[in-house]
């Protein structure tokens, strides 16, 4: 392994078979697949490593050396800015980095760029946290709480956010207009998870949001999305 990657402790637990490629440490969760989908869409060579939550990989010293917040995804790019390795965590930051590195999926026009970025931030600050809390209270341990007010609070907020998306997508092909972008890659894995894995479609009355459904269908039909949703494999 080149010295450039050997200096990173994470490579001791997840050795790089292809140290010249971008290294992805992830799981196929809504946040994790954002990055694998982005990598598949751009064609950037990469190597995926599974971070096994069942084995608490995310709290290992090696993983914490890359992401002290012990969350996936994280990347290690041997060919970062200035030709130096770059370690990066937080899915939104990684999407922006990969868009700028490849010159893809983020508008070049400054105004259009910021419009796309505002929807990326909308996902990071709203869609992800709210849908995730709804999943906890509907599917996971929170479902056993007798008091349903926490669940109902997240149901209402998730439905409100879906309404915001639906109104925005009325007359638009994608979040940033005619062109697919990192805003879509950020948002639609979470929408898919909400109505699929979380099984919360009926709770939020997802049938009301026809434009969200239309764009979700277009998103999951993309070959790169279909590949990215399975990475890293078990």
């Amino acid at each position: 392994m080149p010295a450039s990657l050997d200096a990173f402790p994470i490579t001791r637990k997840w050795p790089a078979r292809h140290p010249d490629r971008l290294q992805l440490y992830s799981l196929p969760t809504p946040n994790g697949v954002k990055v694998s989908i982005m990598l598949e869409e751009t064609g950037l060579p990469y190597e995926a490593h599974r971070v096994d939550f069942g084995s608490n990989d995310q709290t290992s010293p090696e993983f914490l050396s890359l992401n002290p917040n012990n969350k996936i995804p994280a990347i290690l790019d041997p060919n970062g800015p200035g030709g130096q390795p770059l370690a990066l965590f937080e899915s939104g930051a990684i999407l922006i980095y990969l868009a700028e590195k490849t010159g893809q999926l983020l508008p070049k026009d400054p105004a259009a760029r910021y419009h796309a970025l505002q929807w990326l931030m909308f996902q990071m600050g709203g869609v992800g946290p709210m849908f995730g809390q709804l999943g906890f209270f509907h599917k996971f341990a929170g479902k056993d709480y007798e008091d349903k007010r926490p669940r109902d609070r997240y149901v209402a907020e998730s439905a409100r956010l879906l309404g915001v998306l639906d109104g925005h997508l009325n007359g638009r092909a994608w979040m940033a207009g005619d062109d697919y972008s990192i805003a879509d890659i950020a948002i639609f894995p979470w929408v898919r998870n909400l109505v699929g894995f979380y099984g919360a479609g009926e709770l939020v009355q997802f049938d009301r949001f026809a434009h969200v459904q239309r764009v979700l269908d277009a998103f999951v039909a993309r070959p790169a999305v279909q590949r990215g949703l399975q990475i890293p494999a078990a």
Side-chain angles (χ1 to χ4, degrees):
M1 184 181 299
S4 60
L5 288 190
D6 194 39
F8 292 87
I10 196 164
T11 60
R12 298 170 200 163
K13 187 174 179 66
W14 291 277
R17 297 182 302 277
H18 304 282
D20 57 323
R21 301 179 188 177
L22 184 145
Q23 305 293 306
L24 168 65
Y25 308 90
S26 192
L27 272 178
T29 67
N31 282 334
V33 300
K34 293 178 197 174
V35 178
S36 52
I37 289 170
M38 180 67 174
L39 289 165
E40 289 291 328
E41 291 280 10
T42 60
L44 193 66
Y46 71 100
E47 179 178 346
H49 304 276
R50 186 178 181 87
V51 180
D52 187 355
F53 284 7
S55 302
N56 291 318
D57 281 350
Q58 75 277 18
T59 61
S60 66
E62 293 87 355
F63 188 78
L64 291 173
S65 72
L66 189 64
N67 183 359
N69 195 35
N70 67 278
K71 304 290 184 184
I72 59 95
I75 65 169
L76 176 55
D77 185 358
N79 303 300
Q84 297 301 308
L86 176 70
L88 201 60
F89 65 91
E90 281 296 331
S91 58
I94 295 171
L95 287 179
I96 296 169
Y97 170 70
L98 294 175
E100 293 182 340
K101 178 182 177 72
T102 63
Q104 299 180 53
L105 299 174
L106 188 60
K108 302 294 190 296
D109 173 76
R113 170 187 168 87
Y114 285 113
H115 283 145
L117 289 175
Q118 75 182 351
W119 289 107
L120 170 63
M121 300 306 163
F122 175 83
Q123 184 278 304
M124 300 296 294
V127 167
M130 295 300 105
F131 287 14
Q133 291 289 352
L134 176 51
F136 173 79
F137 284 104
H138 179 58
K139 184 178 178 67
F140 297 110
K143 72 179 185 300
D144 297 325
Y145 296 177
E146 289 186 16
D147 186 349
K148 296 305 179 187
R149 285 175 295 180
R151 185 204 67 177
D152 292 346
R153 181 260 191 278
Y154 292 114
V155 168
E157 181 61 7
S158 295
R160 187 190 72 81
L161 293 170
L162 287 167
V164 173
L165 291 173
D166 203 63
H168 177 72
L169 289 168
N170 186 0
R172 292 181 174 87
W174 299 103
M175 292 302 303
D178 292 336
D179 296 325
Y180 177 71
S181 74
I182 60 173
D184 305 292
I185 293 173
I187 290 169
F188 285 98
W190 275 104
V191 176
R192 174 180 177 270
N193 206 65
L194 181 72
V195 299
F197 183 63
Y198 289 165
E202 185 174 342
L203 271 180
V204 298
Q205 297 179 288
F206 189 69
D207 289 347
R208 294 179 292 161
F209 307 112
H211 298 295
V212 177
Q213 180 68 73
R214 166 181 55 83
V215 181
L216 174 62
D217 291 344
F219 177 74
V220 298
R222 296 177 67 89
V225 170
Q226 293 173 20
R227 295 192 300 271
L229 287 170
Q230 308 302 320
I231 296 169

